[in-house]
Amino acid sequence: TIMAFSDMLGDHQFIMLLDLQFGLANSNYALAYLYLPTRIDYGLQGYHNVGFLEILDGSSNQYYQYRFRNYGLTGTASYPLTRFKRIDLGLSWMNLARNNLSIADAEVQKRTLIVPSLSYVHDNTLWGIIAPSNGVRYALNVTASPKFNHAALGFVSVTADYRRYFRLGRSYTLALRLAGGGSFGKDP
């Protein structure tokens, strides 16, 4: 379920995403607030994502069910350079947890990360009814996590994404995409 609320001018936006399943620890949800009346757009988001997976233990030849949780807070700022180009900044406090649900007294494995990010974005796409129909969109992103204690992960990730949309008449669009990236450091 996704719900979005805004004031009349669109200066203040609230967005809520809910996928509730058997309690909050087993559910996906997020709450975001966007402050948009000034040149710099600000945002704050709290989130919780969960996934379940069965993993085969090679030594015992048994399957174990795991719950993977990712939760935290993210702050963002977006500064437009021109009508079609902008710089995006982000700072996330992220928590990762892995629970073995098959063993009652198994220790929960946890990691905490501080993840700053910087992006350069160009977007001059024209939208059709549900998706872009013409134009170019590309982004260059750098994300890092400093290793501030023994449980943290240290990495730098660089990604690039290029998309080109060609309108082929009134009802058709051809989309081309080129994307790539890499992660470097002690824990890529």
Side-chain angles (χ1 to χ4, degrees):
T1 304
I2 300 173
M3 292 182 273
F5 305 95
S6 176
D7 63 344
M8 293 293 281
L9 296 175
D11 292 342
H12 304 274
Q13 296 180 3
F14 292 92
I15 303 165
M16 184 169 46
L17 295 91
L18 298 172
D19 177 19
L20 301 176
Q21 313 263 341
F22 306 110
L24 293 178
N26 298 317
S27 300
N28 297 307
Y29 46 89
L31 181 63
Y33 169 70
L34 301 173
Y35 180 77
L36 307 173
T38 62
R39 181 175 176 123
I40 300 176
D41 295 337
Y42 297 100
L44 183 63
Q45 175 186 1
Y47 60 91
H48 180 272
N49 297 313
V50 66
F52 296 92
L53 186 63
E54 285 193 1
I55 299 175
L56 176 64
D57 182 7
S59 62
S60 67
N61 207 24
Q62 280 188 300
Y63 282 95
Y64 292 102
Q65 185 176 23
Y66 286 89
R67 175 177 56 206
F68 293 88
R69 295 174 61 205
N70 174 2
Y71 56 95
L73 293 171
T74 299
T76 61
S78 183
Y79 181 77
L81 302 172
T82 67
R83 179 182 297 247
F84 303 115
K85 298 176 184 177
R86 69 178 186 269
I87 298 288
D88 293 338
L89 295 170
L91 183 62
S92 296
W93 170 65
M94 184 184 302
N95 296 282
L96 308 172
R98 181 173 85 167
N99 303 54
N100 185 337
L101 301 176
S102 301
I103 301 174
D105 58 348
E107 183 179 339
V108 177
Q109 296 175 327
K110 291 184 179 182
R111 300 283 181 145
T112 299
L113 300 113
I114 303 295
V115 184
S117 63
L118 173 67
S119 300
Y120 173 77
V121 180
H122 171 87
D123 186 353
N124 69 354
T125 55
L126 297 174
W127 276 74
I129 295 173
I130 59 170
S133 63
N134 201 11
V136 174
R137 174 186 291 174
Y138 60 85
L140 302 170
N141 309 301
V142 177
T143 305
S145 176
K147 190 169 179 79
F148 59 87
N149 65 27
H150 71 282
L153 302 174
F155 64 85
V156 174
S157 295
V158 179
T159 59
D161 186 354
Y162 179 85
R163 303 172 192 200
R164 177 75 168 106
Y165 303 94
F166 300 94
R167 188 175 185 136
L168 303 175
R170 189 167 175 225
S171 301
Y172 298 98
T173 300
L174 173 66
L176 301 175
R177 181 177 185 190
L178 178 65
S183 190
F184 313 95
K186 288 191 169 221
D187 306 297

